[in-house]
Amino acid sequence: MKSLFKLVVLMVVLISFASCQKSTRPNYQYFPDMYESVGYESYDEVEFLPNGMQAKLPAEGSVARGHKPFDIDGSIEGYNEAKASLKNPLDSTQIDSPRGGQLYDIYCAVCHGKKGDGKGILVSREKILGVPSFDDQGRALTEGSVYHTIHYGKNVMGSYANQLDEEERWQVVDYVMQLKSELGGSQTVKDSI
């Protein structure tokens, strides 16, 4: 009999808890900071972090994800080093000439011309003067010199390192070398610039 009484009392207690529950009201939060975290604004001052700054500088020597550093500097000596030693790392299966042509048309053809003859639309409208042809013997273009120029820029031409990633730059280099050979320029390296 006692066990039946205990069972009835237990059932009454459970039914009373279930019947008194109000589902429209939120439950109790024992650790509210875990449910509603404090949001900090970028570059706000925060007292518990070192120097009171929330945003930190990256660690010294760190490299951004997806970025490959270019070890040759942007000086004339770096240009000459790239001209003499830098080769296209893409093999024939990785080179996509139509893609290189599209990128060339977007970024280069306005000045250098569709054929690489130095007669782009900006030159024909006299907005930029003196863009030489790719087959100019005095320039003696190589894969390395073209890549260095795209990466750092040269003279009036600015850098395209932010617009083109490394693989796209090499695609454009390959296309420029194709245009140079179509214009009759030699692939040999000369000492003069």
Side-chain angles (χ1 to χ4, degrees), residues 79 104 108-109 111-120 123 128-141 149 154-157 176 179-180 183 193:
Y79 174 80
Y104 177 85
C108 311
C111 296
H112 294 282
K114 290 263 191 190
K115 299 177 184 175
D117 54 2
K119 297 178 182 168
V123 174
I128 297 175
L129 301 176
V131 177
S133 175
F134 290 148
D135 68 342
D136 187 10
Q137 295 300 320
R139 295 179 73 196
L141 295 178
T149 304
K154 187 173 183 190
N155 299 333
V156 178
M157 179 180 156
V176 167
L179 290 177
K180 178 182 175 183
L183 288 170
I193 296 176

Side-chain angles (χ1 to χ4, degrees), residues 138-155:
R139 295 179 73 196
L141 295 178
T142 64
E143 292 176 339
S145 66
V146 174
Y147 184 86
H148 188 275
T149 304
I150 292 171
H151 186 81
Y152 287 114
K154 187 173 183 190
N155 299 333

Side-chain angles (χ1 to χ4, degrees), residues 31-170:
F31 298 103
D33 288 342
M34 293 181 71
Y35 295 102
E36 300 168 11
S37 61
V38 178
Y40 295 103
E41 292 295 323
S42 299
Y43 306 110
D44 265 357
E45 293 183 7
V46 185
E47 63 273 356
F48 62 86
L49 291 173
N51 299 329
M53 293 177 16
Q54 182 182 354
K56 299 291 182 191
L57 294 174
E60 187 175 328
S62 62
V63 177
R65 180 178 292 159
H67 175 74
K68 293 182 182 177
F70 188 49
D71 294 333
I72 301 174
D73 65 343
S75 64
I76 295 295
E77 291 81 18
Y79 174 80
N80 291 332
E81 177 186 347
K83 186 175 189 176
S85 64
L86 198 58
K87 299 291 180 203
N88 193 340
L90 302 178
D91 62 11
S92 61
T93 61
Q94 295 173 315
I95 292 176
D96 185 9
S97 293
R99 176 76 175 136
Q102 290 173 347
L103 293 169
Y104 177 85
D105 289 345
I106 292 169
Y107 296 106
C108 311
V110 293
C111 296
H112 294 282
K114 290 263 191 190
K115 299 177 184 175
D117 54 2
K119 297 178 182 168
I121 192 163
L122 293 178
V123 174
S124 65
R125 293 182 181 173
E126 297 181 356
K127 303 293 182 188
I128 297 175
L129 301 176
V131 177
S133 175
F134 290 148
D135 68 342
D136 187 10
Q137 295 300 320
R139 295 179 73 196
L141 295 178
T142 64
E143 292 176 339
S145 66
V146 174
Y147 184 86
H148 188 275
T149 304
I150 292 171
H151 186 81
Y152 287 114
K154 187 173 183 190
N155 299 333
V156 178
M157 179 180 156
S159 170
Y160 284 91
N162 289 335
Q163 288 87 356
L164 300 168
D165 64 18
E166 181 181 13
E167 188 265 335
E168 291 173 332
R169 281 180 242 147
W170 283 115

